Amino acid sequence: MDTSSTTLSLPEAPRDFGFFLNGQVIAAGDRDVFERHSPAHDVPVTRLPKCTPDDLDRAVAAARAAFVDRRWSGLSGADRAAVLLKAADGIRTRLDEIAYWETLESGKPISQVRGEVGGCVGMFEYAAGLARSLHGDSFNNLGDGIFGVVTREPVGVVGIITPWNFPFLILCERVPYVLASGNSIVAKPSEFTSASSVILGEILTEAGLPDGVFNVVTGLGPTVGQAMAEHMDIDMLSFTGSTRTGRAIVAAAGASNFKKLGLELGGKNPQIVFADADLEDAADGVAFGIGFNGGQCCVSGARLIVEASVADQFAKMVSDKMSKIVVGDPLDEATQIGAITTDAQNSTILGYIAKGQDEGAELVLGGAALDFGRGQFIAPTIFGNVTSNMAIAREEIFGPVLTVMPFDTLDEAIALANDSNYGLAASVWTKNIDKALTVTRQVQAGRFWVNTTLAGGPELPIGGFKQSGWGREAGAMGVEEYTQVKSTHIEIGKRTHWIG
Ligand code: NAD
């Protein structure tokens, strides 16, 4: 398999990946394996061990041992930064390989995955700086007899459970930040897209991360994932996935050791377009916001909320844009939307398209599976005449399906945007600064975009309001979330005695 050529071929046989324990790849041995089929090509591409709760226990024990003997947590921020910078180089070196296997497992376009993996290099570089700048606080104003210090310490053993839509990116929005303060990690990728997480293990070890600090168990959610949520020796768990699974995680954490949780859950994100916006920019942005990754994106701009005076004209502009999106083979450099990643997700999206029509929404564009002779693809789809009580307007579809709702006033736009259980992300398109700031202040969302959408990077924290989650990842907060705060009072000189 030559991944440097621009016309990539399918692998001749599925590649066996192991899981990653104590600095080593462990082959499946006599464990069951799952064979992942490319959702775009219907051929087997990877095989991974179905780890058991016993394997999880071994991984947690390795992470705990590494944490307790301070082989990583005891290093200086500068030494940790050096490893994170080497890991960034390692990702750069293996970028094409990661992109190739991730494309095959996920069905997302290769050019897009390369961009995502390139972004992960920046995550490691930025977190390296944070490893050196992480600090606490001091109180020199408590009087001559006492001095106060606030220090940050790593939480300990951190579990990370990731979904299938951005396997490497979501992992790298967490791992370098979690490592920056000295934690150890046990990661569990989605069973559909595990390969790149195991490759990250190899990269980290080559970069000098001590054995046991980063481990990957490959396995199923209801067994290994659930066991992580229940585990008495995992101190914190970062979960990214559906709101439904998030509820199970919260219950399991509460019933076990009250582990600290970070939750990044679903979204039903509004794109608010005012008549005074640059409508050409906005149309392209709205098409990108729902089309990117085939809409299988927690921050997809799935609800177009557009000022009534331009609603028809604008919907036509978006429809023209979306009809030109290139859907097809994700190994083709020109492809913009690849396959739908899982069979279940494919059925869910088609189910919502049928439901939208049953509910009386008007199908403006798409609305069907695309037949390329193999794989599962869905045409970019737009629904008009949508009302806020319809399921397609309320529930996360997680596919390339846009709903259009008009508004007359600014207050109405804000009310429509907030009429959701979710609060993950939102975009506003206007040339009027007052409208932009009012909407940004009043719409409940953890990420906001003004005259753009889906922009991101390592500096700004990410996370949701309402049922979209708890806590923040990335940015300086992405390190602080994985620390415990300790307050220390230090007596200076002779203590005033309590008993005379
Ligand atoms: P999912 O909840 O089915 O699975 C996510 C992960 O949880 C997988 O690794 C899975 O194996 C594991 N899992 C499943 N059941 C579990 C259990 N009982 N206990 C512990 N772990 C379990 O979600 P998905 O289908 O992989 O991903 C799609 C969902 O993820 C969407 O709802 C989307 O909005 C959300 N998502 C959110 C973000 C974000 O940053 N907010 C990012 C990506 C995806």
Side-chain angles (χ1 to χ4, degrees), residues 161-166 170 174 188-191 219-222 225-226 229 239-245 248-249 264-267 297-298 345 396 398 424 468:
I161 299 179
T162 53
W164 44 256
N165 58 342
F166 292 95
I170 289 177
R174 286 145 185 78
K188 192 207 86 65
S190 164
E191 49 273 35
L220 299 177
Q226 182 73 23
F239 170 75
T240 308
S242 62
T243 300
R244 187 172 52 84
T245 308
I249 301 259
E264 300 265 345
L265 308 173
C297 189
C298 52
Q345 191 56 35
E396 185 181 48
F398 223 53
L424 196 58
S468 291

mmCIF file of all heavy atoms in Angstrom, residues 161-166 170 174 188-191 219-222 225-226 229 239-245 248-249 264-267 297-298 345 396 398 424 468, ligand 1:
data_model
loop_
_atom_site.group_PDB
_atom_site.id
_atom_site.type_symbol
_atom_site.label_atom_id
_atom_site.label_comp_id
_atom_site.label_asym_id
_atom_site.label_seq_id
_atom_site.Cartn_x
_atom_site.Cartn_y
_atom_site.Cartn_z
ATOM 1 N N ILE A 161 -13.214 8.423 26.170
ATOM 2 C CA ILE A 161 -14.054 7.631 25.258
ATOM 3 C C ILE A 161 -14.440 8.533 24.093
ATOM 4 O O ILE A 161 -14.973 9.633 24.296
ATOM 5 C CB ILE A 161 -15.324 7.118 25.970
ATOM 6 C CG1 ILE A 161 -14.942 6.201 27.145
ATOM 7 C CG2 ILE A 161 -16.230 6.367 24.987
ATOM 8 C CD1 ILE A 161 -16.136 5.659 27.938
ATOM 9 N N THR A 162 -14.147 8.078 22.882
ATOM 10 C CA THR A 162 -14.370 8.931 21.706
ATOM 11 C C THR A 162 -15.370 8.303 20.723
ATOM 12 O O THR A 162 -15.525 7.081 20.683
ATOM 13 C CB THR A 162 -13.039 9.186 20.962
ATOM 14 O OG1 THR A 162 -12.418 7.925 20.693
ATOM 15 C CG2 THR A 162 -12.104 10.043 21.792
ATOM 16 N N PRO A 163 -16.016 9.125 19.893
ATOM 17 C CA PRO A 163 -16.973 8.641 18.893
ATOM 18 C C PRO A 163 -16.295 8.407 17.548
ATOM 19 O O PRO A 163 -15.081 8.577 17.417
ATOM 20 C CB PRO A 163 -17.974 9.787 18.814
ATOM 21 C CG PRO A 163 -17.145 11.017 19.043
ATOM 22 C CD PRO A 163 -15.995 10.611 19.932
ATOM 23 N N TRP A 164 -17.117 8.061 16.536
ATOM 24 C CA TRP A 164 -16.549 7.681 15.239
ATOM 25 C C TRP A 164 -16.471 8.828 14.237
ATOM 26 O O TRP A 164 -15.942 8.643 13.146
ATOM 27 C CB TRP A 164 -17.363 6.533 14.608
ATOM 28 C CG TRP A 164 -18.863 6.676 14.682
ATOM 29 C CD1 TRP A 164 -19.685 6.003 15.541
ATOM 30 C CD2 TRP A 164 -19.713 7.527 13.903
ATOM 31 N NE1 TRP A 164 -20.990 6.385 15.348
ATOM 32 C CE2 TRP A 164 -21.039 7.318 14.337
ATOM 33 C CE3 TRP A 164 -19.491 8.431 12.864
ATOM 34 C CZ2 TRP A 164 -22.130 7.983 13.793
ATOM 35 C CZ3 TRP A 164 -20.581 9.112 12.325
ATOM 36 C CH2 TRP A 164 -21.877 8.879 12.792
ATOM 37 N N ASN A 165 -16.978 9.990 14.578
ATOM 38 C CA ASN A 165 -17.073 11.006 13.520
ATOM 39 C C ASN A 165 -15.783 11.783 13.274
ATOM 40 O O ASN A 165 -15.509 12.189 12.148
ATOM 41 C CB ASN A 165 -18.256 11.948 13.777
ATOM 42 C CG ASN A 165 -18.179 12.643 15.112
ATOM 43 O OD1 ASN A 165 -17.458 12.210 15.997
ATOM 44 N ND2 ASN A 165 -18.929 13.709 15.266
ATOM 45 N N PHE A 166 -14.996 12.001 14.350
ATOM 46 C CA PHE A 166 -13.662 12.616 14.179
ATOM 47 C C PHE A 166 -12.687 11.844 15.065
ATOM 48 O O PHE A 166 -12.218 12.355 16.088
ATOM 49 C CB PHE A 166 -13.689 14.103 14.575
ATOM 50 C CG PHE A 166 -14.494 14.958 13.649
ATOM 51 C CD1 PHE A 166 -15.820 15.257 13.937
ATOM 52 C CD2 PHE A 166 -13.943 15.441 12.477
ATOM 53 C CE1 PHE A 166 -16.578 16.018 13.073
ATOM 54 C CE2 PHE A 166 -14.694 16.215 11.599
ATOM 55 C CZ PHE A 166 -16.020 16.503 11.909
ATOM 56 N N ILE A 170 -10.780 14.335 17.656
ATOM 57 C CA ILE A 170 -11.361 14.429 19.004
ATOM 58 C C ILE A 170 -10.378 13.870 20.037
ATOM 59 O O ILE A 170 -10.211 14.432 21.119
ATOM 60 C CB ILE A 170 -12.738 13.731 19.056
ATOM 61 C CG1 ILE A 170 -13.749 14.568 18.268
ATOM 62 C CG2 ILE A 170 -13.207 13.530 20.497
ATOM 63 C CD1 ILE A 170 -15.136 13.973 18.172
ATOM 64 N N ARG A 174 -7.950 16.232 23.201
ATOM 65 C CA ARG A 174 -7.889 15.879 24.614
ATOM 66 C C ARG A 174 -6.499 15.414 25.064
ATOM 67 O O ARG A 174 -5.950 15.938 26.035
ATOM 68 C CB ARG A 174 -8.922 14.775 24.907
ATOM 69 C CG ARG A 174 -10.332 15.349 24.919
ATOM 70 C CD ARG A 174 -11.363 14.389 24.360
ATOM 71 N NE ARG A 174 -12.671 15.016 24.282
ATOM 72 C CZ ARG A 174 -13.056 15.881 23.347
ATOM 73 N NH1 ARG A 174 -12.216 16.254 22.375
ATOM 74 N NH2 ARG A 174 -14.255 16.409 23.338
ATOM 75 N N LYS A 188 -10.483 4.796 24.928
ATOM 76 C CA LYS A 188 -11.274 3.795 24.205
ATOM 77 C C LYS A 188 -11.916 4.462 22.989
ATOM 78 O O LYS A 188 -12.843 5.254 23.124
ATOM 79 C CB LYS A 188 -12.381 3.192 25.065
ATOM 80 C CG LYS A 188 -12.975 1.952 24.370
ATOM 81 C CD LYS A 188 -14.401 1.639 24.728
ATOM 82 C CE LYS A 188 -15.416 2.357 23.901
ATOM 83 N NZ LYS A 188 -15.453 2.005 22.475
ATOM 84 N N PRO A 189 -11.401 4.165 21.800
ATOM 85 C CA PRO A 189 -12.006 4.742 20.600
ATOM 86 C C PRO A 189 -13.307 4.032 20.246
ATOM 87 O O PRO A 189 -13.602 2.954 20.779
ATOM 88 C CB PRO A 189 -10.951 4.488 19.524
ATOM 89 C CG PRO A 189 -10.177 3.299 20.009
ATOM 90 C CD PRO A 189 -10.255 3.290 21.510
ATOM 91 N N SER A 190 -14.050 4.629 19.349
ATOM 92 C CA SER A 190 -15.248 3.944 18.832
ATOM 93 C C SER A 190 -14.829 2.646 18.155
ATOM 94 O O SER A 190 -13.808 2.591 17.468
ATOM 95 C CB SER A 190 -15.965 4.843 17.822
ATOM 96 O OG SER A 190 -16.879 4.067 17.068
ATOM 97 N N GLU A 191 -15.639 1.627 18.307
ATOM 98 C CA GLU A 191 -15.335 0.328 17.697
ATOM 99 C C GLU A 191 -15.318 0.400 16.162
ATOM 100 O O GLU A 191 -14.800 -0.496 15.503
ATOM 101 C CB GLU A 191 -16.339 -0.738 18.163
ATOM 102 C CG GLU A 191 -17.805 -0.370 18.068
ATOM 103 C CD GLU A 191 -18.344 0.377 19.310
ATOM 104 O OE1 GLU A 191 -17.582 1.165 19.914
ATOM 105 O OE2 GLU A 191 -19.518 0.184 19.648
ATOM 106 N N GLY A 219 -12.586 -1.796 21.925
ATOM 107 C CA GLY A 219 -13.670 -2.665 22.379
ATOM 108 C C GLY A 219 -15.013 -1.987 22.232
ATOM 109 O O GLY A 219 -15.114 -0.857 21.735
ATOM 110 N N LEU A 220 -16.016 -2.685 22.701
ATOM 111 C CA LEU A 220 -17.390 -2.221 22.506
ATOM 112 C C LEU A 220 -17.806 -1.284 23.635
ATOM 113 O O LEU A 220 -17.344 -1.409 24.774
ATOM 114 C CB LEU A 220 -18.334 -3.417 22.457
ATOM 115 C CG LEU A 220 -18.060 -4.412 21.323
ATOM 116 C CD1 LEU A 220 -19.022 -5.613 21.410
ATOM 117 C CD2 LEU A 220 -18.191 -3.734 19.957
ATOM 118 N N GLY A 221 -18.729 -0.370 23.288
ATOM 119 C CA GLY A 221 -19.195 0.593 24.275
ATOM 120 C C GLY A 221 -19.876 -0.037 25.473
ATOM 121 O O GLY A 221 -19.507 0.240 26.627
ATOM 122 N N PRO A 222 -20.872 -0.897 25.257
ATOM 123 C CA PRO A 222 -21.606 -1.439 26.404
ATOM 124 C C PRO A 222 -20.761 -2.334 27.311
ATOM 125 O O PRO A 222 -21.137 -2.564 28.455
ATOM 126 C CB PRO A 222 -22.737 -2.244 25.746
ATOM 127 C CG PRO A 222 -22.891 -1.640 24.393
ATOM 128 C CD PRO A 222 -21.520 -1.218 23.977
ATOM 129 N N GLY A 225 -16.583 0.320 27.388
ATOM 130 C CA GLY A 225 -16.931 1.715 27.700
ATOM 131 C C GLY A 225 -17.676 1.809 29.025
ATOM 132 O O GLY A 225 -17.337 2.618 29.895
ATOM 133 N N GLN A 226 -18.660 0.962 29.189
ATOM 134 C CA GLN A 226 -19.446 0.962 30.431
ATOM 135 C C GLN A 226 -18.545 0.633 31.632
ATOM 136 O O GLN A 226 -18.654 1.250 32.691
ATOM 137 C CB GLN A 226 -20.582 -0.076 30.304
ATOM 138 C CG GLN A 226 -21.509 -0.165 31.494
ATOM 139 C CD GLN A 226 -22.464 1.017 31.624
ATOM 140 O OE1 GLN A 226 -22.756 1.703 30.640
ATOM 141 N NE2 GLN A 226 -22.937 1.282 32.827
ATOM 142 N N ALA A 229 -16.737 3.657 32.729
ATOM 143 C CA ALA A 229 -17.573 4.584 33.502
ATOM 144 C C ALA A 229 -17.760 4.085 34.932
ATOM 145 O O ALA A 229 -17.882 4.883 35.863
ATOM 146 C CB ALA A 229 -18.921 4.756 32.807
ATOM 147 N N PHE A 239 -15.898 11.973 28.079
ATOM 148 C CA PHE A 239 -16.741 11.212 27.148
ATOM 149 C C PHE A 239 -17.232 12.129 26.035
ATOM 150 O O PHE A 239 -17.770 13.208 26.301
ATOM 151 C CB PHE A 239 -17.949 10.606 27.868
ATOM 152 C CG PHE A 239 -18.960 10.033 26.907
ATOM 153 C CD1 PHE A 239 -18.719 8.827 26.266
ATOM 154 C CD2 PHE A 239 -20.123 10.737 26.596
ATOM 155 C CE1 PHE A 239 -19.626 8.317 25.342
ATOM 156 C CE2 PHE A 239 -21.037 10.227 25.675
ATOM 157 C CZ PHE A 239 -20.787 9.011 25.056
ATOM 158 N N THR A 240 -17.059 11.694 24.812
ATOM 159 C CA THR A 240 -17.618 12.416 23.670
ATOM 160 C C THR A 240 -18.486 11.440 22.897
ATOM 161 O O THR A 240 -18.016 10.382 22.471
ATOM 162 C CB THR A 240 -16.513 12.961 22.748
ATOM 163 O OG1 THR A 240 -15.594 13.686 23.543
ATOM 164 C CG2 THR A 240 -17.102 13.879 21.684
ATOM 165 N N GLY A 241 -19.738 11.788 22.747
ATOM 166 C CA GLY A 241 -20.650 10.886 22.046
ATOM 167 C C GLY A 241 -22.073 11.368 22.218
ATOM 168 O O GLY A 241 -22.316 12.552 22.444
ATOM 169 N N SER A 242 -22.997 10.442 22.143
ATOM 170 C CA SER A 242 -24.403 10.824 22.142
ATOM 171 C C SER A 242 -24.881 11.213 23.547
ATOM 172 O O SER A 242 -24.331 10.755 24.559
ATOM 173 C CB SER A 242 -25.253 9.665 21.619
ATOM 174 O OG SER A 242 -25.116 8.555 22.472
ATOM 175 N N THR A 243 -25.906 12.013 23.588
ATOM 176 C CA THR A 243 -26.496 12.413 24.865
ATOM 177 C C THR A 243 -27.032 11.189 25.598
ATOM 178 O O THR A 243 -26.926 11.088 26.826
ATOM 179 C CB THR A 243 -27.601 13.458 24.605
ATOM 180 O OG1 THR A 243 -26.978 14.578 23.966
ATOM 181 C CG2 THR A 243 -28.266 13.923 25.876
ATOM 182 N N ARG A 244 -27.558 10.233 24.857
ATOM 183 C CA ARG A 244 -28.103 9.012 25.485
ATOM 184 C C ARG A 244 -27.004 8.255 26.237
ATOM 185 O O ARG A 244 -27.158 7.887 27.397
ATOM 186 C CB ARG A 244 -28.718 8.121 24.391
ATOM 187 C CG ARG A 244 -29.468 6.914 24.909
ATOM 188 C CD ARG A 244 -30.199 6.222 23.763
ATOM 189 N NE ARG A 244 -29.317 5.923 22.633
ATOM 190 C CZ ARG A 244 -28.545 4.849 22.549
ATOM 191 N NH1 ARG A 244 -28.560 3.953 23.500
ATOM 192 N NH2 ARG A 244 -27.762 4.660 21.511
ATOM 193 N N THR A 245 -25.859 8.044 25.580
ATOM 194 C CA THR A 245 -24.766 7.353 26.268
ATOM 195 C C THR A 245 -24.232 8.220 27.406
ATOM 196 O O THR A 245 -23.845 7.702 28.465
ATOM 197 C CB THR A 245 -23.633 6.997 25.276
ATOM 198 O OG1 THR A 245 -24.205 6.314 24.167
ATOM 199 C CG2 THR A 245 -22.591 6.116 25.919
ATOM 200 N N ALA A 248 -25.970 7.474 30.542
ATOM 201 C CA ALA A 248 -25.530 6.204 31.151
ATOM 202 C C ALA A 248 -24.208 6.415 31.879
ATOM 203 O O ALA A 248 -23.974 5.840 32.960
ATOM 204 C CB ALA A 248 -25.386 5.123 30.073
ATOM 205 N N ILE A 249 -23.338 7.238 31.307
ATOM 206 C CA ILE A 249 -22.023 7.501 31.919
ATOM 207 C C ILE A 249 -22.209 8.234 33.256
ATOM 208 O O ILE A 249 -21.561 7.910 34.257
ATOM 209 C CB ILE A 249 -21.176 8.372 30.964
ATOM 210 C CG1 ILE A 249 -20.981 7.677 29.621
ATOM 211 C CG2 ILE A 249 -19.879 8.840 31.630
ATOM 212 C CD1 ILE A 249 -19.700 7.001 29.383
ATOM 213 N N GLU A 264 -18.974 15.814 26.211
ATOM 214 C CA GLU A 264 -19.221 16.554 24.963
ATOM 215 C C GLU A 264 -20.274 15.755 24.212
ATOM 216 O O GLU A 264 -19.974 14.677 23.703
ATOM 217 C CB GLU A 264 -17.958 16.627 24.118
ATOM 218 C CG GLU A 264 -16.803 17.314 24.787
ATOM 219 C CD GLU A 264 -16.717 18.772 24.425
ATOM 220 O OE1 GLU A 264 -17.375 19.163 23.445
ATOM 221 O OE2 GLU A 264 -16.033 19.500 25.131
ATOM 222 N N LEU A 265 -21.482 16.280 24.156
ATOM 223 C CA LEU A 265 -22.604 15.468 23.672
ATOM 224 C C LEU A 265 -23.165 16.029 22.356
ATOM 225 O O LEU A 265 -22.431 16.576 21.555
ATOM 226 C CB LEU A 265 -23.659 15.383 24.772
ATOM 227 C CG LEU A 265 -23.092 14.913 26.133
ATOM 228 C CD1 LEU A 265 -24.119 15.014 27.235
ATOM 229 C CD2 LEU A 265 -22.524 13.507 26.034
ATOM 230 N N GLY A 266 -24.449 15.887 22.163
ATOM 231 C CA GLY A 266 -25.030 16.218 20.869
ATOM 232 C C GLY A 266 -25.271 17.713 20.667
ATOM 233 O O GLY A 266 -25.030 18.529 21.550
ATOM 234 N N GLY A 267 -25.749 18.045 19.475
ATOM 235 C CA GLY A 267 -26.062 19.434 19.153
ATOM 236 C C GLY A 267 -27.144 19.514 18.088
ATOM 237 O O GLY A 267 -27.390 18.535 17.364
ATOM 238 N N CYS A 297 -21.431 15.649 12.440
ATOM 239 C CA CYS A 297 -20.552 16.579 13.126
ATOM 240 C C CYS A 297 -21.371 17.179 14.264
ATOM 241 O O CYS A 297 -22.470 17.680 14.037
ATOM 242 C CB CYS A 297 -20.180 17.626 12.072
ATOM 243 S SG CYS A 297 -18.950 18.763 12.511
ATOM 244 N N CYS A 298 -20.836 17.088 15.491
ATOM 245 C CA CYS A 298 -21.624 17.577 16.623
ATOM 246 C C CYS A 298 -21.952 19.055 16.484
ATOM 247 O O CYS A 298 -22.970 19.507 16.987
ATOM 248 C CB CYS A 298 -20.863 17.323 17.911
ATOM 249 S SG CYS A 298 -19.189 17.957 17.873
ATOM 250 N N GLN A 345 -26.294 4.737 11.444
ATOM 251 C CA GLN A 345 -26.440 6.166 11.180
ATOM 252 C C GLN A 345 -27.100 6.396 9.825
ATOM 253 O O GLN A 345 -27.934 7.297 9.659
ATOM 254 C CB GLN A 345 -25.077 6.855 11.251
ATOM 255 C CG GLN A 345 -25.142 8.366 11.248
ATOM 256 C CD GLN A 345 -26.006 8.917 12.377
ATOM 257 O OE1 GLN A 345 -26.036 8.369 13.469
ATOM 258 N NE2 GLN A 345 -26.741 9.972 12.102
ATOM 259 N N GLU A 396 -31.348 15.649 16.869
ATOM 260 C CA GLU A 396 -30.089 15.623 16.130
ATOM 261 C C GLU A 396 -30.156 14.536 15.061
ATOM 262 O O GLU A 396 -30.334 13.362 15.375
ATOM 263 C CB GLU A 396 -28.947 15.324 17.108
ATOM 264 C CG GLU A 396 -27.591 15.394 16.472
ATOM 265 C CD GLU A 396 -26.478 15.061 17.447
ATOM 266 O OE1 GLU A 396 -26.600 14.046 18.156
ATOM 267 O OE2 GLU A 396 -25.490 15.809 17.492
ATOM 268 N N PHE A 398 -27.691 14.220 12.540
ATOM 269 C CA PHE A 398 -26.309 13.791 12.338
ATOM 270 C C PHE A 398 -26.102 13.301 10.906
ATOM 271 O O PHE A 398 -25.520 12.256 10.644
ATOM 272 C CB PHE A 398 -25.954 12.684 13.340
ATOM 273 C CG PHE A 398 -24.591 12.847 13.965
ATOM 274 C CD1 PHE A 398 -24.214 14.025 14.586
ATOM 275 C CD2 PHE A 398 -23.668 11.809 13.945
ATOM 276 C CE1 PHE A 398 -22.960 14.170 15.171
ATOM 277 C CE2 PHE A 398 -22.403 11.938 14.532
ATOM 278 C CZ PHE A 398 -22.060 13.120 15.136
ATOM 279 N N LEU A 424 -24.720 23.553 21.832
ATOM 280 C CA LEU A 424 -23.310 23.281 21.536
ATOM 281 C C LEU A 424 -22.662 24.414 20.747
ATOM 282 O O LEU A 424 -21.609 24.920 21.120
ATOM 283 C CB LEU A 424 -23.198 21.960 20.769
ATOM 284 C CG LEU A 424 -21.808 21.346 20.707
ATOM 285 C CD1 LEU A 424 -21.253 21.094 22.099
ATOM 286 C CD2 LEU A 424 -21.834 20.045 19.923
ATOM 287 N N SER A 468 -25.853 19.690 25.916
ATOM 288 C CA SER A 468 -24.697 19.387 25.055
ATOM 289 C C SER A 468 -23.452 19.035 25.851
ATOM 290 O O SER A 468 -22.442 18.649 25.251
ATOM 291 C CB SER A 468 -24.415 20.559 24.115
ATOM 292 O OG SER A 468 -25.451 20.666 23.158
HETATM 293 P P1 NAD B 1 -22.156 6.866 21.017
HETATM 294 O O1 NAD B 1 -22.605 7.538 22.256
HETATM 295 O O2 NAD B 1 -22.935 5.733 20.509
HETATM 296 O O3 NAD B 1 -20.674 6.292 21.184
HETATM 297 C C1 NAD B 1 -19.602 7.114 21.606
HETATM 298 C C2 NAD B 1 -18.583 6.259 22.311
HETATM 299 O O4 NAD B 1 -19.175 5.739 23.492
HETATM 300 C C3 NAD B 1 -18.083 5.066 21.523
HETATM 301 O O5 NAD B 1 -16.718 4.858 21.782
HETATM 302 C C4 NAD B 1 -18.901 3.911 22.095
HETATM 303 O O6 NAD B 1 -18.250 2.674 21.980
HETATM 304 C C5 NAD B 1 -19.006 4.334 23.533
HETATM 305 N N1 NAD B 1 -20.147 3.781 24.255
HETATM 306 C C6 NAD B 1 -21.312 3.294 23.781
HETATM 307 N N2 NAD B 1 -22.098 2.858 24.794
HETATM 308 C C7 NAD B 1 -21.417 3.095 25.933
HETATM 309 C C8 NAD B 1 -21.701 2.893 27.310
HETATM 310 N N3 NAD B 1 -22.851 2.356 27.726
HETATM 311 N N4 NAD B 1 -20.785 3.276 28.218
HETATM 312 C C9 NAD B 1 -19.635 3.842 27.836
HETATM 313 N N5 NAD B 1 -19.294 4.043 26.544
HETATM 314 C C10 NAD B 1 -20.177 3.678 25.603
HETATM 315 O O7 NAD B 1 -21.989 8.016 19.931
HETATM 316 P P2 NAD B 1 -21.510 7.848 18.424
HETATM 317 O O8 NAD B 1 -22.644 7.266 17.674
HETATM 318 O O9 NAD B 1 -20.183 7.196 18.356
HETATM 319 O O10 NAD B 1 -21.274 9.379 18.030
HETATM 320 C C11 NAD B 1 -22.290 10.208 17.626
HETATM 321 C C12 NAD B 1 -22.746 11.126 18.739
HETATM 322 O O11 NAD B 1 -21.629 11.772 19.332
HETATM 323 C C13 NAD B 1 -23.627 12.255 18.278
HETATM 324 O O12 NAD B 1 -24.748 12.382 19.150
HETATM 325 C C14 NAD B 1 -22.775 13.494 18.365
HETATM 326 O O13 NAD B 1 -23.422 14.679 18.562
HETATM 327 C C15 NAD B 1 -21.879 13.175 19.474
HETATM 328 N N6 NAD B 1 -20.618 13.901 19.334
HETATM 329 C C16 NAD B 1 -20.411 14.980 20.122
HETATM 330 C C17 NAD B 1 -19.236 15.708 19.984
HETATM 331 C C18 NAD B 1 -18.968 16.912 20.840
HETATM 332 O O14 NAD B 1 -17.834 17.368 20.873
HETATM 333 N N7 NAD B 1 -19.953 17.446 21.527
HETATM 334 C C19 NAD B 1 -18.286 15.333 19.061
HETATM 335 C C20 NAD B 1 -18.546 14.230 18.270
HETATM 336 C C21 NAD B 1 -19.720 13.506 18.428
#
